[in-house]
């Protein structure tokens, strides 16, 4: 009986001690110690263990990292104090915290190249040429005997892109008209190569002759270009790469993302603002300015915007020199700024609040929720308006993201994406091992 009570008492004491240890600050700090860490060259990171003992920190690669200002491979550290980790050059290193040769924690550190960009904010005109032609609808051709859509009969879908006709690449609607006319006159079918999502489909189509104008037609509404206005997000001087818009350009009729065949960006000047209100997000009205002066090309249209190379550094930049970028995990809730144009071509800085950040390990467009707090911008626009998408977000002197969407029912607020996803689509390496490769409304 006494032995049983003693066992019971010892068990209770052990549980109490375990509970105290688990709830203690040192245990909490140790358990929250990261398994993997990303740092930029030239930055400084403080790691906390908060254990009231002396320990050893083993650094696998002193050429990559210095610990507490030293390049020694093993450093004696006071574990009750923050440990300073200073990246020296790009690469990978492992740190291990030990106490009396007992391993306590290990962390893999990826040091990334110091990447700096010039924030944009300028309004730009976007001119896209599709890859092939985009099918946006069917229509009936009146042959005098029947009304028929040859394209629909052949199985061509709205949203398809026709990239080849009779083994010839299609560049614009003039090419289509010529080939359709030739096939009709010769009474031969057209062989179409179609891109449908991620598939390529071969289709045979026989043009029909419209009795009214004596022209041969496919019975398809097609489009070969798109144009609009948005905001430049960033320019990277070394590669001359840029990113803009913060969201994909979709066809207005089909909702399909436009596959880029060719494209240019030009200057734009804001002429007026339709102020946003609940149920109506408002809009920037702008015109292309000096269209003959092409600022750069467009090589990619992705969920994070349009990307390509600029011919020279953008003019009228609010920040004349490049600034550091922030990684997704470095963005925090709190005050920030956006850069945008609300009149003419003048880029101005406005105050916002990042009210929520979403932890993301993979690309997604809605990484943070932002709220406009600047009285000047609220007075001029009511908050975020369409055409403001792509406006860079700056926090603590770093480029952290871009405006992407406005909340339809609350135009003072909207979404932003992390800048690293846009940099990735621009072909700029941010994540270790990454291969370089070129209920809201879009703002």
């Amino acid at each position: 009986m006494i032995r049983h009570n003693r066992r019971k008492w010892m068990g209770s004491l052990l549980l109490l001690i375990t509970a105290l240890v688990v709830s203690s600050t040192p245990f909490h700090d140790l358990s929250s110690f990261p398994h993997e860490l990303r740092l930029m060259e030239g930055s400084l990171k403080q790691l906390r263990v908060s254990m009231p003992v002396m320990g050893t920190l083993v650094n696998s690669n002193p050429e990559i990292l210095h610990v507490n200002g030293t390049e020694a491979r093993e450093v004696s550290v006071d574990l009750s104090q923050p440990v300073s980790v200073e990246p020296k050059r790009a690469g990978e290193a492992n740190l291990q915290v030990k106490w009396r040769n007992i391993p306590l924690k290990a962390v893999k550190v990826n040091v990334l190249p110091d990447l700096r960009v010039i924030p944009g904010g300028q309004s730009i005109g976007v001119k896209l040429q599709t890859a092939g032609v985009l099918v946006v609808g069917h229509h009936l051709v009146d042959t005098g005997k029947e009304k028929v859509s040859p394209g629909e009969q052949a199985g061509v879908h709205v949203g398809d892109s026709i990239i080849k006709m009779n083994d010839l690449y299609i560049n614009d609607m003039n090419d289509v008209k010529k080939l359709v006319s030739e096939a009709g006159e010769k009474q031969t079918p057209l062989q179409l190569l179609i891109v449908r999502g991620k598939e390529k489909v071969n289709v045979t189509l026989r043009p029909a002759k419209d009795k009214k104008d004596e022209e041969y037609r496919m019975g398809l509404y097609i489009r070969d270009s798109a144009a609009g206005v948005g905001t430049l997000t960033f320019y990277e001087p070394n590669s001359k790469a840029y990113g803009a818009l913060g969201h994909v350009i979709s066809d207005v009729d089909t909702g399909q993302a436009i596959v880029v065949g060719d494209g240019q960006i030009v200057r734009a000047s804001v002429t007026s603002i339709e102020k946003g209100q609940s149920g109506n997000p408002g809009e920037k009205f702008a015109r292309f300015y000096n269209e003959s002066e092409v600022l750069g090309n467009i090589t990619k249209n992705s969920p994070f915007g349009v990307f390509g190379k600029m011919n020279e550094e953008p003019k009228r930049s609010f920040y004349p020199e490049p600034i550091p970028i922030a990684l997704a995990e470095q963005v925090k809730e709190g005050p920030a700024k956006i850069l945008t144009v609300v009149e003419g071509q003048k880029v101005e800085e406005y105050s916002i609040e990042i009210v929520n950040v979403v932890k993301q390990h993979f690309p997604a467009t809605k990484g943070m929720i932002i709220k406009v707090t600047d009285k000047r911008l609220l007075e001029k626009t009511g908050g975020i308006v369409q055409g403001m998408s792509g406006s860079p977000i700056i926090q603590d002197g770093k480029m952290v993201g871009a405006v992407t969407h406005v909340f339809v029912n609350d135009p003072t607020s909207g979404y932003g994406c992390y800048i690293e996803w846009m940099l990735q689509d621009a072909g700029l390496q941010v994540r270790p091992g990454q291969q370089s490769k070129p209920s809201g409304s879009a703002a």
Side-chain angles (χ1 to χ4, degrees):
M1 184 70 176
I2 294 173
R3 186 178 295 174
H4 175 74
N5 287 339
R6 184 183 297 166
R7 239 191 258 130
K8 188 176 179 181
W9 180 83
M10 288 295 290
S12 299
L13 182 61
L14 186 59
L15 282 172
L16 178 61
I17 293 171
T18 302
L20 289 172
V21 170
V22 169
S23 62
S24 67
T25 299
F27 185 89
H28 182 268
D29 285 348
L30 189 61
S31 64
S32 63
F33 205 73
H35 295 289
E36 190 167 349
L37 194 61
R38 293 190 301 159
L39 299 173
M40 306 297 290
E41 279 181 301
S43 62
L44 192 66
K45 179 71 175 178
Q46 300 283 340
L47 297 178
R48 293 183 179 275
V49 183
S50 299
M51 298 185 71
V53 293
M54 294 298 294
T56 303
L57 202 148
V58 182
N59 180 5
S60 71
N61 199 334
E63 292 183 0
I64 302 295
L65 293 175
H66 285 184
V67 176
N68 282 358
T70 177
E71 58 183 22
R73 191 169 290 274
E74 292 194 9
V75 184
S76 180
V77 292
D78 182 351
L79 295 180
S80 67
Q81 300 298 317
V83 176
S84 172
V85 178
E86 184 181 1
K88 287 300 179 181
R89 66 174 176 84
E92 185 179 293
N94 293 294
L95 298 178
Q96 187 177 59
V97 181
K98 288 183 176 182
W99 176 68
R100 295 181 182 273
N101 290 324
I102 301 172
L104 297 178
K105 201 74 176 182
V107 57
K108 183 169 82 171
V109 182
N110 289 296
V111 179
L112 308 175
D114 181 27
L115 180 58
R116 293 169 181 254
V117 298
I118 295 177
Q122 298 91 333
S123 288
I124 55 170
V126 177
K127 300 194 289 185
L128 273 182
Q129 192 77 24
T130 62
V133 294
L134 180 67
V135 178
V136 298
H138 299 112
H139 72 86
L140 297 176
V141 180
D142 187 354
T143 66
K145 296 179 181 178
E146 61 178 345
K147 292 182 178 180
V148 62
S149 169
E152 189 172 17
Q153 284 187 338
V156 180
H157 298 175
V158 172
D160 286 350
S161 290
I162 303 172
I163 59 172
K164 274 187 178 183
M165 299 177 71
N166 290 346
D167 288 329
L168 297 173
Y169 280 102
I170 303 303
N171 294 316
D172 56 40
M173 294 201 286
N174 290 328
D175 294 340
V176 174
K177 185 176 181 180
K178 180 182 176 183
L179 290 168
V180 170
S181 180
E182 287 177 357
E185 294 294 342
K186 294 177 181 179
Q187 294 294 299
T188 57
L190 282 166
Q191 302 300 325
L192 310 183
L193 178 61
I194 286 171
V195 174
R196 181 177 297 156
K198 295 183 179 179
E199 293 182 278
K200 288 187 177 179
V201 182
N202 289 292
V203 168
T204 300
L205 184 151
R206 290 185 175 274
K209 192 173 188 177
D210 191 307
K211 72 170 186 177
K212 185 177 180 181
D213 57 16
E214 298 291 311
E215 294 278 349
Y216 284 95
R217 306 196 181 283
M218 296 191 296
L220 298 173
Y221 291 113
I222 57 176
R223 184 173 291 137
D224 65 358
S225 61
V229 173
T231 302
L232 180 69
T233 305
F234 69 85
Y235 170 77
E236 200 281 309
N238 294 325
S239 65
K240 296 189 175 181
Y242 78 88
L245 300 192
H247 64 76
V248 71
I249 297 179
S250 301
D251 179 74
V252 67
D253 293 308
T254 67
Q256 299 282 332
I258 293 175
V259 179
V260 177
D262 191 14
Q264 299 86 35
I265 57 171
V266 298
R267 299 186 199 284
S269 181
V270 176
T271 56
S272 62
I273 299 283
E274 179 187 344
K275 196 171 180 178
Q277 54 188 331
S278 181
N280 178 14
E283 188 174 357
K284 275 187 190 183
F285 294 99
R287 59 179 176 84
F288 288 7
Y289 181 83
N290 195 7
E291 269 187 79
S292 61
E293 184 185 354
V294 175
L295 299 179
N297 65 1
I298 300 174
T299 58
K300 188 173 188 177
N301 176 32
S302 86
F304 295 94
V306 294
F307 303 88
K309 303 285 186 181
M310 290 187 72
N311 301 327
E312 59 185 37
E313 287 192 11
K315 294 180 173 62
R316 296 183 173 84
S317 296
F318 192 88
Y319 287 81
E321 297 295 327
I323 66 172
I325 66 153
L327 302 170
E329 62 267 28
Q330 295 173 329
V331 183
K332 59 184 185 292
E333 295 172 4
K337 305 282 187 180
I338 63 169
L339 303 177
T340 200
V341 174
V342 295
E343 186 176 350
Q345 299 180 65
K346 184 181 179 183
V347 179
E348 296 183 81
E349 187 177 62
Y350 298 99
S351 299
I352 65 165
E353 185 85 8
I354 300 176
V355 297
N356 187 45
V357 293
V358 179
K359 298 296 182 186
Q360 292 179 339
H361 300 289
F362 302 97
T365 54
K366 297 174 181 177
M368 61 188 100
I369 295 175
I370 62 174
K371 186 175 182 66
V372 175
T373 57
D374 197 296
K375 291 181 179 179
R376 297 172 301 140
L377 189 58
L378 291 170
E379 186 177 326
K380 291 177 180 178
T381 66
I384 301 168
V385 295
Q386 295 182 74
M388 201 180 282
S389 58
S391 298
I393 303 172
I394 315 293
Q395 186 179 60
D396 297 335
K398 293 182 178 181
M399 180 84 164
V400 303
V403 177
T404 60
H405 295 78
V406 57
F407 293 162
V408 174
N409 294 324
D410 178 13
T412 67
S413 302
Y415 287 111
C417 69
Y418 295 124
I419 192 61
E420 72 171 273
W421 306 135
M422 292 188 71
L423 294 169
Q424 178 175 304
D425 276 1
L428 300 168
Q429 181 171 323
V430 178
R431 288 191 168 252
Q434 173 192 318
Q435 296 297 315
S436 294
K437 53 183 178 182
S439 69
S441 173

